[in-house]
Every structure is written in structure tokens, then in C-alpha cells.
């Protein structure tokens, strides 16, 4: 089958290749890929940023988001059958959606939301799971709380705005003037134009900040939290909890804590908390999220769709920051197919 594989770590390490179809274990479903979403995580894995923790055997197929049609099920799978339209974020070490077929553990798969096309559904799993796991599991966001999400027009930000609003929070976001109308339509109550204003000078008393920018932006984010508030970053620095989540040796947890010592010390001095976040695959959460898409509480935001053979171009487009809003998708079939 055709696929895009990582042969060596680095910017030029991915290429098109012919690879064997995946083998199907007893708890797997084989999915004929209709579309795949592009995520910043694809670049990070291609570049080997997590190679100490995620030990992929090269060459491996890249791609963390998928929507498609089940073509085979393992002997122990009862919840899916051939012909089902599904979507998933396959678990780490079993990624590979930039291919014609992918075998996925059935626990990571959910029925595609009926209201979404396969292309739309492919844009959803990673960012929707991340939004759910941060807002619901980590932060336990409740009505009346205040949430700040940076880069609100992005794939993650646009999803977090909608879910936080659904949970009853007051939502602030940073965006540029071109994106203000979009983020307000998604549910943002307060929009700070980062090209004109410093968010840390105009916002205060927040329960949660979700940061996808890092660096100085993360440090400033700590200052807008109320006492006991939580800053969560999806770009780092990582902490010991990340190593624990991936089942890494304790010594790597110590290394991670060293990397995040400065930001954790700053947070403690301000009376707030810092945590690194790395989402995990979860089919049952995707079922719950699917119901929110079908009820109109959430909607995907898609920047553009590339044909499958231009997957590397689509990755470069995201990497170069050319995305105006939402996600980029690669499609095996024409948009109306």
C-alpha cells in the first residue's frame, strides 16, 4: 500500500513509500483511510522530539488522526463490523494514518459522527480528545469559571473555545484581527488581539490557561491565573507526569522535572500550578465527543484539504504557519466523494 513513512529523524526524514498492509490483531480493526488530519505532533514525531520516550522502529508510517471505513475486524472485536464509518486517534507506537490502511486497537476507535463528512471527522480526534482531557479530566471546568486559551483560531484552540463554552465557562482567547469574527462565533467572550495588546496586562483572575505557544507566552500566562489556578501547556516543557504517562523509567521523570523546574518554580512563587499535557487515545471519549458534534455543540474548523499524494506538502503548509484557522486535512477521495 502507499504510505508516508519516517525513514530518519529530521526535517527531510519523511517520504512516500510502498509498505506492506498492516497485520490485524484480535482486538484490532483494519480501516481503509478516507482522510487524515495534520497535527503539529506529526512534525514533532518526525523530528524525533520524543524519541527517548516513544521508541518507534523506523521506517514507520506517520499520522495521528484518521477517518475511514472498517474493512476487517479482529476475532475478539464485537463493537465494530465491516462497512462501519469510524474515526480515531490511534495510540502512540501504533500511529500511521498517512496510508491507505491502518490497523487500530478497537478501544481507540469510535463511530464517525453522523453529521460530519469523513474529511471533517478526520480533523477532530486529536484536538477534541486534547480539549476534553484538559478541560474535563485535568481542570474539571465548571460553569462560571474563567478559561483562557491561546491561539483560539488554531485546531486545538478552536475546539477548546467551543467545549469550554459548552461546559459553562467564560472564555477568553488570543487571536489576530482577521480571526476575531471566527473565534467569537465559536463562543469566545473576550478576544485579545495579540498583535496590538499584551494579554497579561488586560486579563486576570483566570482558573485555567491552556497554552500552545510556549516560552515567554507561557511564563506570562501564569500571571493571569487566580491563586490555585492551573496553566497547562501542550508544547512544554515536560514534567515527570509525562514520563509516568508513557511508562518511561523513573530516571526520565527526573530529567523531565529538571526541564520544567524553572516554570514550576515560577508558578509556585505565584501561588499557581503548571502541568505539561500530552493527550492519549480514547475511543469511549470520542463517542461522547461525537454526540456533541452531532448535537451542534461542537463543529470542526478546517483550513484546507490536500489530496493524499500531497501529504508532505500539507505538512509543510502547517509547519510554515500558513494555516489561517483550524485544521488541514489530507483526503483519499474527492471532497464530495
Amino acid at each position: 500500500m502507499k504510505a508516508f513513512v519516517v525513514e530518519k529523524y529530521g526535517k527531510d526524514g519523511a517520504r512516500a513509500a510502498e509498505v506492506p498492509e498492516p497485520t490485524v490483531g484480535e482486538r484490532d480493526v483494519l480501516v481503509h483511510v478516507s482522510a487524515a488530519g495534520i497535527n503539529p505532533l506529526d512534525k514533532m514525531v518526525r523530528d524525533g522530539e520524543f524519541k527517548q520516550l516513544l521508541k518507534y522502529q523506523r521506517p514507520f508510517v506517520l499520522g495521528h488522526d484518521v477517518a475511514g471505513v472498517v474493512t476487517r475486524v479482529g476475532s475478539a472485536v464485537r463493537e465494530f463490523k465491516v462497512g462501519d464509518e469510524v474515526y480515531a486517534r490511534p495510540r502512540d507506537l501504533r500511529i500511521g494514518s498517512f496510508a491507505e490502511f491502518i490497523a487500530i486497537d478497537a478501544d481507540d476507535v469510535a463511530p464517525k459522527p453522523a453529521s460530519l463528512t469523513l474529511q471533517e471527522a478526520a480533523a477532530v480526534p486529536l484536538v477534541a480528545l486534547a480539549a476534553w482531557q484538559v478541560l474535563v479530566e485535568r481542570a474539571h471546568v465548571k460553569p462560571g469559571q474563567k478559561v483562557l486559551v491561546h491561539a483560539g483560531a488554531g485546531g486545538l484552540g478552536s475546539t477548546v473555545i467551543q467545549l469550554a463554552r459548552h461546559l459553562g465557562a467564560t472564555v477568553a482567547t488570543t487571536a489576530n484581527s482577521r480571526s476575531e469574527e471566527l473565534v467569537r462565533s465559536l463562543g469566545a467572550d473576550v478576544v485579545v488581539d495579540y498583535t496590538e495588546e499584551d494579554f497579561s496586562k488586560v486579563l486576570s483572575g483566570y482558573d485555567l490557561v491552556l497554552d500552545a505557544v510556549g516560552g515567554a507566552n507561557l511564563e506570562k500566562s501564569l500571571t493571569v491565573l487566580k491563586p490555585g489556578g492551573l496553566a497547562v501547556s501542550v508544547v512544554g516543557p515536560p514534567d515527570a507526569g509525562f514520563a509516568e504517562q508513557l511508562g518511561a523509567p523513573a530516571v526520565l521523570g527526573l530529567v523531565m522535572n529538571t526541564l520544567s523546574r524553572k516554570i514550576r518554580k515560577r508558578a509556585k512563587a505565584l501561588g499557581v500550578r503548571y502541568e505539561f499535557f500530552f493527550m492519549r487515545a480514547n475511543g469511549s471519549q470520542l463517542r461522547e465527543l461525537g454526540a456533541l458534534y452531532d448535537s451542534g455543540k461542537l463543529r470542526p474548523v478546517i483550513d484546507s484539504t490536500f489530496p493524499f499524494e500531497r501529504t508532505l506538502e500539507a505538512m509543510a503548509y502547517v509547519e510554515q504557519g500558513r494555516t489561517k484557522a483550524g485544521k488541514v486535512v489530507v483526503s483519499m477521495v474527492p471532497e464530495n466523494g
Side-chain angles (χ1 to χ4, degrees):
M1 67 173 184
K2 294 190 183 73
F4 289 88
V5 303
V6 175
E7 210 165 41
K8 63 181 191 296
Y9 286 125
K11 186 174 175 59
D12 301 318
R15 66 174 181 88
E18 285 284 337
V19 299
E21 270 191 33
T23 54
V24 180
E26 62 175 20
R27 279 292 301 155
D28 290 349
V29 295
L30 185 68
V31 176
H32 187 198
V33 177
S34 299
I38 305 277
N39 293 284
L41 183 56
D42 298 314
K43 169 197 174 291
M44 296 163 89
V45 169
R46 180 202 68 195
D47 290 354
E49 290 187 29
F50 300 119
K51 64 185 176 186
Q52 298 303 320
L53 293 164
L54 297 173
K55 297 194 180 296
Y56 286 101
Q57 298 298 312
R58 287 165 290 164
F60 63 91
V61 183
L62 199 54
H64 291 80
D65 268 335
V66 63
V69 180
V70 175
T71 58
R72 201 184 326 160
V73 297
S75 58
V77 175
R78 300 288 175 267
E79 57 272 51
F80 297 100
K81 63 185 186 305
V82 172
D84 285 349
E85 292 188 334
V86 296
Y87 73 148
R89 191 294 205 187
R91 63 189 57 185
D92 298 311
L93 301 180
R94 295 206 59 189
I95 63 169
S97 61
F98 299 163
E100 292 182 273
F101 293 91
I102 179 173
I104 313 171
D105 190 298
D107 289 343
D108 302 343
V109 180
K112 176 188 75 68
S115 61
L116 302 185
T117 66
L118 286 159
Q119 286 80 11
E120 289 170 334
V124 166
L126 188 146
V127 292
L129 285 169
W132 182 274
Q133 289 166 15
V134 169
L135 296 174
V136 177
E137 287 188 339
R138 285 272 183 109
H140 310 292
V141 169
K142 298 187 173 49
Q145 290 190 314
K146 291 166 68 175
V147 173
L148 166 62
V149 55
H150 289 292
L156 179 59
S158 60
T159 311
V160 170
I161 289 171
Q162 295 176 77
L163 185 57
R165 186 63 183 269
H166 170 66
L167 295 170
T170 296
V171 186
T173 192
T174 53
N176 60 35
S177 56
R178 292 194 313 276
S179 305
E180 180 170 355
E181 190 178 337
L182 170 68
V183 295
R184 287 198 184 278
S185 77
L186 296 172
D189 300 287
V190 179
V191 182
V192 179
D193 183 345
Y194 62 82
T195 66
E196 300 283 338
E197 282 186 297
D198 179 344
F199 72 90
S200 65
K201 301 280 196 293
V202 293
L203 302 177
S204 62
Y206 278 72
D207 297 275
L208 172 69
V209 179
L210 180 57
D211 174 64
V213 181
N217 197 77
L218 174 59
E219 291 199 27
K220 284 200 292 188
S221 294
L222 299 176
T223 68
V224 309
L225 290 166
K226 72 181 195 183
L230 174 64
V232 174
S233 176
V234 296
V235 292
D239 56 19
F242 177 42
E244 188 180 327
Q245 178 183 331
L246 295 182
V251 66
L252 270 175
L254 296 173
V255 172
M256 298 290 155
N257 262 353
T258 301
L259 293 173
S260 58
R261 180 181 292 145
K262 181 184 170 195
I263 194 75
R264 288 185 297 107
K265 188 176 177 184
R266 177 83 179 117
K268 190 174 180 184
L270 291 166
V272 300
R273 294 169 293 142
Y274 166 75
E275 291 179 10
F276 176 69
F277 172 79
F278 192 81
M279 62 76 56
R280 65 188 195 286
N282 190 311
S284 62
Q285 289 179 355
L286 280 179
R287 286 175 185 265
E288 290 190 65
L289 286 156
L292 292 177
Y293 281 93
D294 281 342
S295 69
K297 298 285 194 302
L298 301 178
R299 64 179 170 94
V301 179
I302 295 181
D303 176 274
S304 49
T305 303
F306 285 71
F308 174 68
E309 59 269 19
R310 291 173 57 200
T311 295
L312 296 182
E313 279 181 64
M315 281 189 68
Y317 178 91
V318 172
E319 211 173 318
Q320 292 158 8
R322 293 163 64 191
T323 313
K324 294 179 183 66
K327 293 284 292 289
V328 171
V329 171
V330 293
S331 177
M332 289 284 197
V333 292
E335 283 271 29
N336 56 1

